[in-house]
Amino acid sequence: MRKFGCVLSSLLLAIACQAQAPIAVNVELSNPLGPYTPIYRWFGYDESNYTTMKFGMQLLPELHDLSPVPVYIRAHHLLTSGNGVAELKWSSSNVFSLDANGRPVYDFTITDQTFDAYKKAGVRPFVELGFMPKDLAATVPGINGYQVHYPRGTMAGASNNPPKDYAMWGELIQKFTEHLVERYGRDQASTWYFEVWNEPDIGYWHGTPSQYFKLYDYAVAGVRAALPNAMVGGPASTGPNSEKAGTFLDDFLKHCRNDKSAANGRSIPLDFISFHPKGQPSFADGHVRMGITNELKATEAGFRIVAKYPEYTHLPIILSEADPEGCAACSMKTNPANSYRNSPLYATYTAVMIKALFDLQDRSKVNLAGMLSWSFEFENAGFFEGFRTLATRGVDKPILNIFRMAGLMSGQRVMTSSTGQVPLDEMMKNGVRQAPDVDAMATKAAREAAVMLWNYHDDDLPAASADVLVTIAGIPAGVKKVLLEHYRIDDTHSNSYTVWKSMGSPQTPAPEQYAQMKAAGQLELLTSPEWLDVNNGKVTIATSLPRQATSLMHLKW
């Protein structure tokens, strides 16, 4: 009996030890997967007029500074008629009107201010050609009025109608592009992207698919008439995992491949392909539950459609809105599920998506160029109201720091494995609803490497930290020491929201409080930089990773 008890005790001890064993993450620097394309460097927002307002002007240079390569900015309403005053989900520029004799009048004053701000900040425009000027909008039955104010459906007005004269629409686009070339230079404008419209498969377009294809033909013909080497594309449709959206994207690609331009009878230019995968969070049992499955499935569906066309698989795919859900202007007051936007959960979700998007690209053998975060700032909102933003009244939120982390990675993506990983197929089928996804992605460049590491779960609930042992192998022969800089986003690092709440959530913080919040919004080191000994081309780093936290381990030698 004593012998049996000893055996049982040893077995229980072994099980306990096994349960407490750290998660093993292995990085093999000598096993490249493909280039680390800077897919993180794209941002956008509905309200183009926020660009030139106080906090917009502050945020643009920060976006420039997070990436070693140019950052691109996309905004709605560059062609919309109005007085240039921003509202939720609305802006205007008044570039086009008709005089008393029905002749076009062009006024680029407001768009010049927007594009001048981009130039000053050193960011590049991703020029979304929309929406329809008031005097050019066709009459559509059931559409009454030009502008509809939020919270009513802002897409319901005539600003989303087809043009009453497609040739005049094409001329508008040509004149607009000519002006951009004249003001900013042909060389600069040739580095921009010109995208036709936004989400024409839903209420943003009050016409048929064939009418959108005609709109596209005239728009790209106008751009190319002014700038023959311009990069043009679309269709900026919604997530192709729905039958309607998938058919729209497929039919658009067929149109570009098979048809002749309605504008000039020539072949139809297509230099990049864009669509919009989105997640679907919910509020369940008093907490936020992310819906990462939906964004993954939408991306996979779009890649699969593009992969059907061998002549298009090399084209850049720009996910010109890729987000956890679909309404940046809906605060957490409107939808409690949107409270994720203030916390490290938003950053960690994005880290998971970055790796997953690369993996889906590799599977489909397509060319992913960008995952555009439809987030910027809301100028007149209070602190941390739960809009989908990168900053709140000049204070950076945790989400901005994941893009700063991504900007520290470069070179080649390399192989990683983790005993705590949720496999991609499982994540696509069921999300992350059981064990957390404790995983990593890594890159290697000349004399440096980086490992992004996270502890993610769809359910935003308190949970124990994960003990993780990261082994990085394949460090070049002859390297004896490496410098580790370990950055962290969690509840107490790189997190202005926690600091703001600790102050009592003030909406009018004192100057010293505001300075403290600003400082807390920056990317923060977990520990002081340290030199690690390299043994047999390897280093091992132990860390405790809280739930919904992300680390970046940056190595230099």
Side-chain angles (χ1 to χ4, degrees), residues 239-262:
N241 53 327
S242 77
E243 182 178 358
K244 179 184 176 184
T247 299
F248 189 97
L249 176 60
D250 197 23
D251 287 348
F252 171 76
L253 297 179
K254 290 175 183 175
H255 169 68
C256 293
R257 183 187 67 171
N258 300 333
D259 298 340
K260 296 298 182 182
S261 170

Side-chain angles (χ1 to χ4, degrees), residues 225-386:
L227 186 62
N229 63 337
M231 295 182 287
V232 296
S237 49
T238 59
N241 53 327
S242 77
E243 182 178 358
K244 179 184 176 184
T247 299
F248 189 97
L249 176 60
D250 197 23
D251 287 348
F252 171 76
L253 297 179
K254 290 175 183 175
H255 169 68
C256 293
R257 183 187 67 171
N258 300 333
D259 298 340
K260 296 298 182 182
S261 170
N264 54 30
R266 302 173 188 168
S267 60
I268 301 167
L270 182 65
D271 300 305
F272 67 90
I273 300 165
S274 60
F275 59 89
H276 297 170
K278 303 277 185 172
Q280 196 170 27
S282 60
F283 200 72
D285 300 323
H287 70 274
V288 174
R289 169 173 283 178
M290 303 301 284
I292 199 168
T293 296
N294 203 63
E295 188 170 354
L296 293 170
K297 287 181 176 179
T299 303
E300 182 192 44
F303 287 175
R304 192 166 54 241
I305 290 169
V306 174
K308 289 167 52 179
Y309 300 90
E311 57 269 74
Y312 290 154
T313 54
H314 71 286
L315 291 183
I317 295 174
I318 301 170
L319 308 177
S320 53
E321 294 181 28
D323 302 291
E325 34 64 43
C327 181
C330 302
S331 73
M332 63 186 185
K333 295 178 181 178
T334 304
N335 182 357
N338 290 340
S339 61
Y340 79 87
R341 296 163 167 179
N342 290 328
S343 75
L345 173 56
Y346 188 5
T348 303
Y349 175 104
T350 303
V352 175
M353 281 302 306
I354 291 173
K355 180 178 183 179
L357 290 176
F358 277 121
D359 289 346
L360 290 172
Q361 169 206 246
D362 295 346
R363 282 186 182 184
S364 300
K365 296 180 172 56
V366 294
N367 178 23
L368 177 63
M371 52 163 283
L372 188 148
S373 176
W374 197 250
S375 55
F376 189 58
E377 64 95 14
F378 284 87
E379 193 73 22
N380 299 311
F383 285 102
F384 298 102
E385 285 195 22

Side-chain angles (χ1 to χ4, degrees), residues 6 11 57 60 67-68 105 129 143 161 175 178 198-199 251 297 322 331 389 411 456 470 475 512 552:
C6 291
L11 180 61
M57 293 287 282
L60 283 175
S67 172
V105 177
L129 298 172
I143 304 298
N161 285 7
K175 295 293 185 184
E178 287 174 348
N198 176 72
E199 298 182 352
D251 287 348
K297 287 181 176 179
S331 73
T389 56
Y456 171 77
V470 180
I475 296 171
E512 60 272 16
L552 184 82

